Amino acid sequence: MPNTTKTVAVAGGCLEARIEGGNGGPTLVFAHYWGGSAGTWDEVVRRLPPQQATVRFDQRGWGSSRHLPGPYHLDQLADDLVRVVEGCVTGPFVLVGHSMGGKVGQLVAARRPADLIGAVLIAPAPARPAPAVTEEYRQGLSHAYDSPESVGHALDHVLTAVPVPPPVRDAIVRDSLAASPEARTEWPLRGIAQDITEQARRIQVPVAVLAGEHDKVEPPAVLRACLLPHVPHATLTTVPGAGHLLPLEAPEAIARALADFLTATHGAAGPSRR
């Protein structure tokens, strides 16, 4: 199937979804992190087999979807993700969520949508907020994307453990600033602290959790303590050397993990890597 863009009706307007590949196998549906965009997944998708079906989009309040009105809370983002699946996917699919997108993915998986066969959570915000997520922490985090300089500081001191190429860095800065003011603050002030353990326990499909070895935002130890006990059938794999922005720091490792997950959950129908 050729690469296409599809308009998906959601509450308050529409968003644009990018659809690529398609060989009759499971579709990977991506949800980006706070500050990201559909483009966050470019290097991961580029490393997947060309026939692998993928769907990605800018979440409400970000990038091309920043015109969409609020609310921007997690339940609304989950509703949007469900609408994208309904509008763009036919047959089995896997949710792939990074950080904030990982928490959104947990909420959607907990709804047990038809044809969902699994979820891959990449450096996800855990179902139970970590003890470090204090009011002081959240207030500081809400200013991380105030300016190009503050984004650069977050990149160098918090988000990444290895340097990213200059074009990727420039894209990260642009994405982080391309948000409505309300969407930019909703996650750090409220979403990150929301306890969704009750919902997470309803997840019935296999879940693979990937953590960066040097992640300062969601360290492996935090995911073991605050996520794995609440998500049935979840397993944790640590990606050596990487920080929080795994799709940008270690796209090859993420693409490999996705291919392996498809093979494990869908048997021989899951495509192999190039």
Side-chain angles (χ1 to χ4, degrees):
M1 184 178 73
N3 299 344
T4 61
T5 300
K6 185 167 185 178
T7 300
V8 178
V10 294
C14 298
L15 55 78
E16 300 296 322
R18 294 163 58 178
I19 304 172
E20 300 175 53
N23 68 340
T27 299
L28 298 173
V29 182
F30 295 91
H32 64 74
Y33 74 106
W34 175 68
S37 72
T40 297
W41 304 102
D42 282 352
E43 291 304 307
V44 173
V45 171
R46 189 171 68 82
R47 288 166 169 80
L48 294 171
Q51 73 272 20
Q52 173 61 56
T54 63
V55 176
R56 47 201 172 119
F57 64 103
D58 294 346
Q59 295 202 70
R60 180 180 297 261
W62 295 93
S64 64
S65 301
R66 63 183 177 273
H67 63 282
L68 284 170
Y72 302 100
H73 55 61
L74 288 172
D75 288 331
Q76 181 60 66
L77 299 184
D79 288 346
D80 291 345
L81 181 51
V82 169
R83 293 293 298 128
V84 168
V85 170
E86 291 173 345
C88 301
V89 178
T90 301
F93 69 97
V94 171
L95 292 171
V96 185
H98 175 217
S99 193
M100 178 184 78
K103 198 165 187 178
V104 174
Q106 292 168 60
L107 287 174
V108 173
R111 299 182 187 184
R112 302 174 183 173
D115 296 322
L116 176 66
I117 64 170
V120 179
L121 306 178
I122 300 169
R128 177 167 63 85
V133 181
T134 61
E135 174 67 22
E136 180 181 7
Y137 172 86
R138 289 185 284 126
Q139 288 292 337
L141 184 62
S142 70
H143 295 288
Y145 299 157
D146 281 356
S147 67
E149 292 74 22
S150 64
V151 176
H153 184 274
L155 272 174
D156 294 335
H157 299 283
V158 181
L159 293 175
T160 60
V162 296
V164 295
V168 173
R169 183 185 179 89
D170 292 344
I172 293 171
V173 174
R174 286 195 305 271
D175 285 349
S176 300
L177 299 174
S180 70
E182 296 85 0
R184 184 178 293 135
T185 57
E186 172 63 32
W187 170 251
L189 295 183
R190 285 168 286 277
I192 196 172
Q194 184 175 337
D195 189 319
I196 63 166
T197 52
E198 181 180 346
Q199 295 93 324
R201 292 188 185 107
R202 300 176 191 151
I203 298 173
Q204 292 184 324
V205 295
V207 176
V209 181
L210 303 179
E213 179 185 13
H214 303 306
D215 191 334
K216 296 180 181 179
V217 181
E218 307 296 355
V222 165
L223 297 179
R224 290 190 191 96
C226 299
L227 178 66
L228 262 62
H230 308 294
V231 180
H233 320 298
T235 60
L236 176 68
T237 300
T238 299
V239 179
H244 187 62
L245 297 189
L246 285 167
L248 299 157
E249 295 179 79
E252 179 68 27
I254 300 306
R256 185 184 311 115
L258 291 173
D260 290 346
F261 186 79
L262 286 171
T263 298
T265 56
H266 202 66
S272 60
R273 291 171 56 230
R274 285 182 197 162

mmCIF file with all atom_site columns, all heavy atoms in Angstrom, residues 30 148 241:
data_model
loop_
_atom_site.group_PDB
_atom_site.id
_atom_site.type_symbol
_atom_site.label_atom_id
_atom_site.label_alt_id
_atom_site.label_comp_id
_atom_site.label_asym_id
_atom_site.label_entity_id
_atom_site.label_seq_id
_atom_site.pdbx_PDB_ins_code
_atom_site.Cartn_x
_atom_site.Cartn_y
_atom_site.Cartn_z
_atom_site.occupancy
_atom_site.B_iso_or_equiv
_atom_site.pdbx_formal_charge
_atom_site.auth_seq_id
_atom_site.auth_comp_id
_atom_site.auth_asym_id
_atom_site.auth_atom_id
_atom_site.pdbx_PDB_model_num
ATOM 1  N N   . PHE A 1 30  ? 1.648  4.173  16.521 1.00 0.00 ? 30  PHE A N   1
ATOM 2  C CA  . PHE A 1 30  ? 2.598  4.883  17.377 1.00 0.00 ? 30  PHE A CA  1
ATOM 3  C C   . PHE A 1 30  ? 1.963  6.084  18.080 1.00 0.00 ? 30  PHE A C   1
ATOM 4  O O   . PHE A 1 30  ? 1.188  6.835  17.474 1.00 0.00 ? 30  PHE A O   1
ATOM 5  C CB  . PHE A 1 30  ? 3.774  5.389  16.541 1.00 0.00 ? 30  PHE A CB  1
ATOM 6  C CG  . PHE A 1 30  ? 4.624  4.309  15.937 1.00 0.00 ? 30  PHE A CG  1
ATOM 7  C CD1 . PHE A 1 30  ? 4.352  3.817  14.661 1.00 0.00 ? 30  PHE A CD1 1
ATOM 8  C CD2 . PHE A 1 30  ? 5.696  3.783  16.630 1.00 0.00 ? 30  PHE A CD2 1
ATOM 9  C CE1 . PHE A 1 30  ? 5.138  2.836  14.094 1.00 0.00 ? 30  PHE A CE1 1
ATOM 10 C CE2 . PHE A 1 30  ? 6.493  2.795  16.069 1.00 0.00 ? 30  PHE A CE2 1
ATOM 11 C CZ  . PHE A 1 30  ? 6.212  2.315  14.803 1.00 0.00 ? 30  PHE A CZ  1
ATOM 12 N N   . PRO A 1 148 ? 13.882 27.699 23.150 1.00 0.00 ? 148 PRO A N   1
ATOM 13 C CA  . PRO A 1 148 ? 14.895 26.810 22.566 1.00 0.00 ? 148 PRO A CA  1
ATOM 14 C C   . PRO A 1 148 ? 16.020 26.496 23.545 1.00 0.00 ? 148 PRO A C   1
ATOM 15 O O   . PRO A 1 148 ? 16.540 25.368 23.573 1.00 0.00 ? 148 PRO A O   1
ATOM 16 C CB  . PRO A 1 148 ? 15.399 27.609 21.364 1.00 0.00 ? 148 PRO A CB  1
ATOM 17 C CG  . PRO A 1 148 ? 14.266 28.503 20.998 1.00 0.00 ? 148 PRO A CG  1
ATOM 18 C CD  . PRO A 1 148 ? 13.622 28.875 22.301 1.00 0.00 ? 148 PRO A CD  1
ATOM 19 N N   . GLY A 1 241 ? 23.129 1.819  27.203 1.00 0.00 ? 241 GLY A N   1
ATOM 20 C CA  . GLY A 1 241 ? 23.708 3.098  26.823 1.00 0.00 ? 241 GLY A CA  1
ATOM 21 C C   . GLY A 1 241 ? 22.753 4.223  26.546 1.00 0.00 ? 241 GLY A C   1
ATOM 22 O O   . GLY A 1 241 ? 23.175 5.371  26.400 1.00 0.00 ? 241 GLY A O   1
#
